[in-house]
Amino acid sequence: MQITRRGVIGGAAIGGALVVAWWALPRNYPNPLTAARGEHVLGAWLKVAEDGVVTVAVPQLEMGQGITTLLPQIVAEELGADWRQIAVEPAAAAAAYPNTKLAERWIGLWDPLAAGLSETSDAVLAERFATSKAFTATADGTSLVAYEMPAREAAAAARAVLAMEAAERWGTTWEECEVANGIVSWGDNRATFGELAVGAAEQSPPDPPPLRPEPSSGNLAGNDPDVPDINSPPRIDLPSKVDGSHRFAGDVRLPGMVYAAIRHGPNNGSELTDFDPDGARGISGVVGVVRNKRWLAVAATTWWAADRALQAMVPQFKTDFPVNSDDITARLDTLLSSGDSFKIAETGFGEEAMTRVDMARRYEVNAFHAAPVETASAVARYTDGRLELWIASQAPEQARSAAAKAVGLSIEDVALYPMSAGGSFDARLEHDHAIEVAQIAKELERPVQLTWSRREEVIRSRPSAPVYTLIGAQLAGGDEGGQTSGAIDALKLRVATPPSTHEFGKRLFDNLTPWAAIRETTGQKDALALEGAVPAYELPSVTVRHIPVETGYPTGRVRGNAHIASAFGIESFVDEIAEASGREPLSYRMSMLGSDVRLAACLQRAASLAEWGGGQDQSGQGLACYRIGDPETGGRIACVATARRGEGGLRVARLAAAVDIGRIVNLDIARQQIEGGLLFGLGIALGHSPVMRGGLPESFEYADFGLPKLADCPEVIVDFLPSAARTVDPGELGAAVVSPAIANALFSATGLRLRRLPLLSGGL
């Protein structure tokens, strides 16, 4: 198909077509979609085949959160397609799919000098950066807020050109045509998408695209016959994941491919010093050994043979600064009380409003791993100065760039084929394995599949940063030395933690090694590392100070991130003030919420679901609430945990949560995300944090993380509140709120106040 006067719509020509964003500022760039035989590209987001199949490009990593259903659902509803005709194609990182919302949130990581000049300048710089760098990263719950409107606009434009083609055939105006269920109709005339696809690709869409009315959340309560239920089509990826046919990087097979295993030293600058090259003699199938300054890899005809050969070679490593958990704890402990701090946030009357401390508590959150079940895996093929990568990456363009640099290629000579991840929890924001598999493939000159063992995953993963928080409050009436009402006049938080997001940013955007990233960021203040430390409550004065701590061990992003520590400290402290002041925990929180009626509604609904009894008389009930995001558009959650001390230790019997995430796109997926977050947080609350000795974890076994098994999972009740607010990602809300709810429940049941996560790290 050739470009015509009407063919400037993206994909109108094979190979050299330009995508034109006709509904926004002029910006042309190559179309990332390619039409197969019988397909016709209608923009950068979708293709229509002559058999009627609509293929939707998804520029976000599917890692279990359901994004390959959510974005196609948005396209299908705006387009007027039947869900049964929808297919999905993972989209390569491209300028057509910039995640400007995430780029703006992370502007301090990729351009710290320009960050914060103004909201307008941040937004403009973020759009330029995300487009020019093909920044499509999947993180921080930005998928819907970043991509819903572009997907709707692309679908609306495609719907218009389909209607235009039909209107030309029928001698009417396209506005009079109806588009629904994959059919364009006008009176008695009907045509399928497939019948119209060839001509539609030649049409020029209207500017702006004709969007349908803003969708609503639908009937959440189930009691209004005039309101339709929320459309929750089944997940597209579910059948293939159930029958085992879904393709991950570990399933890729190429002609002549070999399988590589790898060994790393401690994760803080260790170097390979020695290994026994003759140790693998007699192990059949070994085809090559690749030695790097930091690691040793063996490739063989099977992964098991490669791993056995590595063990037999006994690689030895040295590290100049072996890290121990006791040293990290001592450093955090010392700096929390006496270290220099940076003011991160100040509200109300400011820091000077706090003239005394009537109550103070300290809360500790140890590091924890992301621990996805699927370990890092990637496939690479290096031929004729070009590299191909098959990999699951949350930041594919950054992984592609790092791999290119590692083997001395320009980024244009590297092709990255995005694969799904079998879970991630932010672990796949890192790209070490992309660099390693590229180097191994180049050295061996044949296709290679690299799979990390669980041991290597644990060694090389960057756990969440440890966080020690000292919270002090000035209470109304406390200056008279009598019983206070519990009303908080001023709140101050001192938070000792590494500048973990800046450290992560140096690895992601500057391609620094973990130890170089630590050196570059030592002593920096980091607002994102303290995200959520300003509570949702309307208080006269709140001050948050960050004490940067250099622990000597790399830290990274894990589901929940800073919200885990912020929620645990604040909601535990609020509960302690309520108890000391003789206040009932629910009503005490309600009295401080001010104008946040959405969070208040969540609290009331969670209490109703759990049959809240006030948390008294050893009821075993504990309450917590939390908000992620700003007061206008943030998501809210309240949770009541029921926990008891039994013969086997702490048992959580039930979690009841009420959630407000604005307009809900897919109710089933939203529920899955909240339930998954609650259970992820349960693992953090009751599991085991890694213990470091000499720079290495004491245990490499997955079972030693203490993650909840099926028999440990409580009854989970989740209810969503109707809301017309902007849709919010629900993925981290449950993970954040559950730890303080369980801690407060344990206090209710036993009278023991545990102020450290994991809760049982010091025994019960």
Side-chain angles (χ1 to χ4, degrees), residues 265-268 319 321-324 459 553 692-697:
N267 199 7
N268 59 340
T319 181
F321 304 102
V323 177
N324 296 317
I459 287 177
Y553 196 79
M692 307 303 300
R693 293 286 183 267
L696 291 172

Side-chain angles (χ1 to χ4, degrees), residues 266-331:
N267 199 7
N268 59 340
S270 59
E271 296 184 15
L272 178 68
T273 57
D274 193 21
F275 67 96
D276 180 7
D278 297 324
R281 291 184 183 275
I283 298 177
S284 62
V286 174
V287 298
V289 177
V290 179
R291 174 177 182 170
N292 183 275
K293 182 180 180 181
R294 309 292 182 187
W295 46 263
L296 180 69
V298 174
T301 53
T302 69
W303 186 88
W304 305 107
D307 191 57
R308 284 180 56 216
L310 266 178
Q311 294 181 39
M313 290 180 180
V314 196
Q316 302 292 315
F317 297 87
K318 72 170 184 178
T319 181
D320 293 331
F321 304 102
V323 177
N324 296 317
S325 290
D326 291 343
D327 298 332
I328 295 174
T329 298
R331 190 168 300 181

Side-chain angles (χ1 to χ4, degrees), residues 363-695:
Y363 301 93
E364 302 172 2
V365 177
N366 292 334
F368 51 88
H369 287 295
V373 174
E374 178 196 36
T375 61
S377 181
V379 173
R381 177 166 56 194
Y382 186 97
T383 52
D384 300 326
R386 289 185 59 83
L387 176 69
E388 296 173 281
L389 280 175
W390 289 259
I391 191 171
S393 174
Q394 289 179 248
E397 192 69 356
Q398 284 62 46
R400 179 173 169 236
S401 176
K405 184 177 180 180
V407 293
L409 296 178
S410 67
I411 192 170
E412 291 78 14
D413 291 324
V414 178
L416 187 149
Y417 308 113
M419 308 296 294
S420 297
S424 175
F425 311 128
D426 279 356
R428 301 302 164 241
L429 281 167
E430 307 286 352
H431 47 242
D432 302 56
H433 55 306
I435 294 171
E436 294 166 355
V437 74
Q439 292 174 326
I440 296 169
K442 181 180 181 181
E443 180 76 16
L444 297 181
E445 298 182 334
R446 60 191 303 173
V448 175
Q449 182 182 90
L450 171 66
T451 302
W452 286 4
S453 66
R454 177 60 57 188
R455 177 187 186 277
E456 302 312 308
E457 179 82 19
V458 173
I459 287 177
R460 297 302 291 179
S461 72
R462 281 99 207 201
S464 65
V467 182
Y468 281 24
T469 305
L470 184 63
I471 310 180
Q474 178 176 301
L475 305 177
D479 56 339
E480 299 173 0
Q483 178 73 20
T484 73
S485 65
I488 300 174
D489 282 344
L491 193 71
K492 184 174 181 178
L493 293 84
R494 283 176 55 88
V495 185
T497 189
S500 55
T501 50
H502 285 301
E503 179 189 327
F504 156 75
K506 289 294 182 182
R507 295 195 301 268
L508 183 68
F509 295 112
D510 296 343
N511 201 30
L512 295 188
T513 61
W515 39 96
I518 291 175
R519 289 196 300 268
E520 288 281 328
T521 58
T522 295
Q524 290 186 6
K525 67 176 181 179
D526 190 346
L528 285 177
L530 277 65
E531 198 169 14
V534 176
Y537 304 110
E538 291 189 7
L539 304 176
S541 168
V542 176
T543 306
V544 179
R545 286 189 165 273
H546 178 207
I547 306 159
V549 180
E550 195 271 284
T551 67
Y553 196 79
T555 59
R557 298 183 64 79
V558 178
R559 185 180 191 177
N561 294 296
H563 296 294
I564 300 288
S566 295
F568 178 65
I570 291 168
E571 285 300 288
S572 295
F573 188 59
V574 166
D575 227 57
E576 293 207 53
I577 296 177
E579 192 273 333
S581 305
R583 299 286 298 272
E584 188 271 327
L586 173 61
S587 61
Y588 180 60
R589 286 174 168 82
M590 294 286 289
S591 70
M592 295 189 294
L593 284 176
S595 60
D596 196 339
V597 295
R598 295 172 61 193
L599 187 52
C602 287
L603 271 169
Q604 291 175 324
R605 182 58 183 151
S608 176
L609 289 172
E611 298 179 345
W612 171 254
Q616 304 298 317
D617 301 323
Q618 296 186 326
S619 67
Q621 288 186 320
L623 179 68
C625 64
Y626 196 65
R627 182 178 70 208
I628 294 181
D630 62 65
E632 296 297 322
T633 61
R636 277 87 165 165
I637 188 169
C639 178
V640 176
T642 303
R644 289 182 175 84
R645 181 178 178 179
E647 292 182 1
L650 178 63
R651 172 81 179 176
V652 179
R654 184 167 65 173
L655 296 172
V659 187
D660 183 341
I661 56 169
R663 180 178 56 81
I664 297 174
V665 176
N666 187 303
L667 183 59
D668 290 342
I669 290 178
R671 189 178 305 279
Q672 292 162 13
Q673 283 291 285
I674 293 295
E675 291 174 346
L678 290 170
L679 294 180
F680 188 87
L682 181 71
I684 293 171
L686 304 181
H688 306 302
S689 57
V691 177
M692 307 303 300
R693 293 286 183 267

